[in-house]
Amino acid sequence: MSRNKYPEETVKRILDVAQRLFLEKGYENTSIQDIIDGLGGLSKGAVYHHFRSKEDIFNAVGDRYNERVVEELREVRDDKTLSGYGKLKKMFQLSLATADRDVMFTVAPDMIDNPRLLAIQMREIFSEVAPKYIFPVIKQGIRDGSIVTEYPRELSEVIVLLANIWLNPLVIRADLSEMEGRVRFFNELLCGMGLDLLDDEMLESYIRYCRLSRKETP
């Protein structure tokens, strides 16, 4: 059997086709066979060589959408001109103000019905987002006096868990009033620790994601 000399190109082809189908049909209505059929000659074995499941393909598509946001978060984390608190607030603004997230909320399935996708997101929270981005910023905030806490690691994990799981309408279904209540409570919780992170524009972003996940128009 000949060896694939260009695995990166194969992966790109798979993700390009999957992304198009997810946008056209939605995640739930797209099957692995649909993706294979759209690849024009690539075998099922070739697809499964790179991805174990449709969930893995969807997660890889999401990672491509998130690449720009991750790069922006890295730049904020390494910015020498901002305080720890300033970095944390800017990270929230960046993560909520991207059209790519709108796209993902439009096509993504309910994660509560897709536990593998939920498990992937939980793993990323604890292995990537919290320790590599939020935790260093909170530690800096403690050093420069802009953040006060005796539990920087725990605070970083709780912030990301609440923001990405509890406030995620793809995980916990909520109508618009419930989502608004959760966001305002989340902000009160943070304000009680001296972290006033969410403004009205960010609140509107959460409401928009809620509408998109419910396939509603403003």
Side-chain angles (χ1 to χ4, degrees), residues 50-61:
H50 295 285
F51 299 100
R52 293 180 297 171
S53 65
K54 186 174 75 168
E55 291 93 338
D56 283 348
I57 295 175
F58 180 81
N59 191 58
V61 170

Side-chain angles (χ1 to χ4, degrees), residues 79-131:
D79 190 334
K80 304 297 185 182
T81 68
L82 294 173
S83 67
Y85 168 75
K87 290 181 179 182
L88 196 58
K89 183 149 189 170
K90 190 168 183 179
M91 284 180 170
F92 262 78
Q93 291 170 336
L94 288 172
S95 65
L96 288 170
T98 169
D100 291 343
R101 284 179 66 93
D102 286 12
V103 172
M104 293 307 294
F105 272 95
T106 300
V107 302
D110 285 340
M111 290 190 180
I112 204 69
D113 296 327
N114 293 270
R116 180 170 171 76
L117 286 176
L118 181 58
I120 289 171
Q121 181 160 3
M122 293 288 288
R123 183 170 63 245
E124 289 180 348
I125 285 172
F126 287 103
S127 66
E128 296 289 329
V129 182

Side-chain angles (χ1 to χ4, degrees), residues 39-55:
L39 287 165
L42 199 64
S43 70
K44 180 180 291 188
V47 173
Y48 279 109
H49 175 74
H50 295 285
F51 299 100
R52 293 180 297 171
S53 65
K54 186 174 75 168
E55 291 93 338

Side-chain angles (χ1 to χ4, degrees), residues 11 125 206:
V11 169
I125 285 172
Y206 276 110

Side-chain angles (χ1 to χ4, degrees), residues 32-46:
I32 284 284
Q33 190 60 51
D34 290 332
I35 296 170
I36 293 168
D37 292 344
L39 287 165
L42 199 64
S43 70
K44 180 180 291 188

Side-chain angles (χ1 to χ4, degrees), residues 85 88 145-148 187-197:
Y85 168 75
L88 196 58
S146 62
I147 298 175
V148 178
N187 198 42
E188 281 191 18
L189 198 66
L190 294 175
C191 286
M193 295 181 286
L195 298 175
D196 185 6
L197 296 180

